[in-house]
Amino acid sequence: VGCKAILVFFQYGVMANFYWLLVEGLYLHILLVLIFSPNRHFTVYLLIGWGIPTIFIITWTVTRIILEDTGCWDTNEHGGPWWVIRIPILISIIVNFILFISIIRILLQKLRSPDVGGNDQSQYKRLAKSTLLLIPLFGVHYTVFALFPDRSSNNYKIIFELCLGSFQGLIVAVLYCFLNSEV
């Protein structure tokens, strides 16, 4: 029971990570689109970041108990329970990628406006810098292996996610907290 509880908590942490990345993307998108929005939607963000993973982890736990209650739940012989976690994560990755593209489009429009000074090369440098700063914030690197089956790309996926994913929190903390004069 203890092993299963730890695995449930682990899966919850993984899913919450993806949904908090989605909350960051939604928040930034709303800041750029709705400039004068007095409402910060904090409760909605909490429900998305903690609530949606809770619902799907409870559903996953029930399906594991009913369909595949063997061992410590660390193997997936039947695909059904695994997709209860995988589909919401894939949806959050896809929505976050769409928000990422939308924000890049907004930044490109703002850089092309006549109010922004500088030549074309400096504008594209700003766009490239902004894009590179947004990649860890949105978790765009997860889209690389998001739609591949786990069995076909597992070795490459592990190496890729360990190299990039393990530094994601550090990169976000350095770029958005430690190097931010407002913080």
Side-chain angles (χ1 to χ4, degrees):
V1 174
C3 181
K4 292 176 183 177
I6 289 170
L7 191 67
V8 167
F9 183 72
F10 172 75
Q11 294 295 347
Y12 178 75
V14 169
M15 186 176 270
N17 176 55
F18 283 102
Y19 275 88
W20 277 107
L21 287 172
L22 179 62
V23 167
E24 290 173 2
L26 285 170
Y27 180 71
L28 185 58
H29 191 266
I30 288 172
L31 282 178
L32 288 173
V33 173
L34 302 174
I35 297 171
F36 298 109
S37 175
N39 191 356
R40 295 288 181 211
H41 310 290
F42 187 68
T43 307
V44 175
Y45 296 144
L46 285 175
L47 289 174
I48 293 170
W50 297 120
I52 292 175
T54 301
I55 292 167
F56 284 105
I57 291 300
I58 290 171
T59 306
W60 176 73
T61 304
V62 170
T63 57
R64 284 300 296 221
I65 290 170
I66 293 171
L67 297 177
E68 193 177 4
D69 193 11
T70 58
C72 186
W73 295 354
D74 57 345
T75 59
N76 297 306
E77 294 174 13
H78 300 92
W82 181 241
W83 285 104
V84 173
I85 291 178
R86 186 106 169 124
I87 287 174
I89 289 175
L90 288 174
I91 290 170
S92 73
I93 290 171
I94 291 167
V95 170
N96 222 11
F97 187 71
I98 292 168
L99 289 172
F100 174 75
I101 298 298
S102 177
I103 288 174
I104 296 301
R105 185 185 51 81
I106 292 169
L107 288 175
L108 188 59
Q109 287 174 351
K110 290 187 183 282
L111 286 175
R112 287 185 177 168
S113 73
D115 297 336
V116 177
N119 58 14
D120 286 340
Q121 186 178 6
S122 69
Q123 289 177 352
Y124 287 116
K125 278 185 178 179
R126 287 183 197 166
L127 179 64
K129 182 180 175 183
S130 301
T131 303
L132 290 175
L133 290 175
L134 289 175
I135 287 173
L137 180 68
F138 279 78
V140 173
H141 59 280
Y142 290 118
T143 60
V144 174
F145 289 102
L147 300 176
F148 288 109
D150 283 335
R151 290 182 179 94
S152 67
S153 62
N154 205 19
N155 292 336
Y156 300 112
K157 181 179 178 179
I158 289 172
I159 293 169
F160 187 78
E161 285 188 359
L162 285 176
C163 292
L164 290 177
S166 62
F167 289 106
Q168 179 182 8
L170 174 67
I171 292 169
V172 170
V174 168
L175 294 176
Y176 296 102
C177 294
F178 304 135
L179 296 178
N180 188 344
S181 61
E182 294 175 5
V183 175

